[in-house]
Amino acid sequence: PVRVDARVDAYVPNTYIDSEAMRIDLHRRLALVETEDELRELEAATIDRFGPMPEPVENLFAIQEVRIKVAKLGADYLVFRSGRATVGPLVLGSGELRELRQRIDTAVYTTARKEVSLRNDVFTGAIQLVDAILDGRRAA
């Protein structure tokens, strides 16, 4: 299982879904999603039923999206704290690293720790980092 430690507000507020049972069900359904397509379907169904998602609910979906993508990478964790996203452990070859740097030139790969990190103040930057690593692997 992939661990995502993100210091963001991620919950379903009772102002969005007033039924506690429905809030719990959304959390359960979200945790069971295994593909990006399933995630998009659940997101569309949630918006259709309850309206536009507030930021904490968007963050819940973003965390699950990152979990799915980090699993594709074969990494064990993504940590987002104090404006820094870190993904690991990853072994990147020179071609993969070159591709990553072409996509995000401020990403840092630490060979000793087998981690890729990026300074970014918003959690979506963590998603962009994971996407760039995935794209770099495909291209390399």
Side-chain angles (χ1 to χ4, degrees), residues 62-84:
I63 287 169
Q64 187 63 20
E65 178 182 356
V66 163
R67 186 173 280 120
I68 292 166
K69 290 178 177 183
V70 169
K72 277 185 194 177
L73 283 174
D76 294 340
Y77 59 86
L78 178 136
V79 176
F80 179 73
R81 288 188 195 148
S82 305
R84 181 189 220 61

Side-chain angles (χ1 to χ4, degrees), residues 14-80:
N14 60 4
T15 54
Y16 184 60
I17 300 176
D18 59 358
S19 164
E20 183 177 358
M22 287 182 168
R23 287 194 308 270
I24 291 169
D25 185 59
L26 180 57
H27 277 278
R28 181 190 60 77
R29 292 175 63 198
L30 193 54
L32 294 173
V33 167
E34 293 181 355
T35 68
E36 291 175 66
D37 287 341
E38 289 175 8
L39 184 65
R40 296 294 159 242
E41 287 176 20
L42 180 58
E43 184 175 27
T46 302
I47 291 169
D48 186 51
R49 184 165 183 188
F50 302 106
M53 294 188 296
E55 185 177 345
V57 179
E58 288 177 351
N59 288 339
L60 272 178
F61 277 81
I63 287 169
Q64 187 63 20
E65 178 182 356
V66 163
R67 186 173 280 120
I68 292 166
K69 290 178 177 183
V70 169
K72 277 185 194 177
L73 283 174
D76 294 340
Y77 59 86
L78 178 136
V79 176
F80 179 73

Side-chain angles (χ1 to χ4, degrees), residues 70 72-75 89-93 95-97 99-100 103 109 131-140:
V70 169
K72 277 185 194 177
L73 283 174
L90 286 172
V91 176
L92 297 182
E96 292 171 319
L97 188 54
E99 291 291 333
L100 173 61
R103 286 162 174 74
Y109 178 59
D131 284 341
I133 297 167
L134 282 167
D135 291 345
R137 284 207 162 158
R138 286 185 208 116

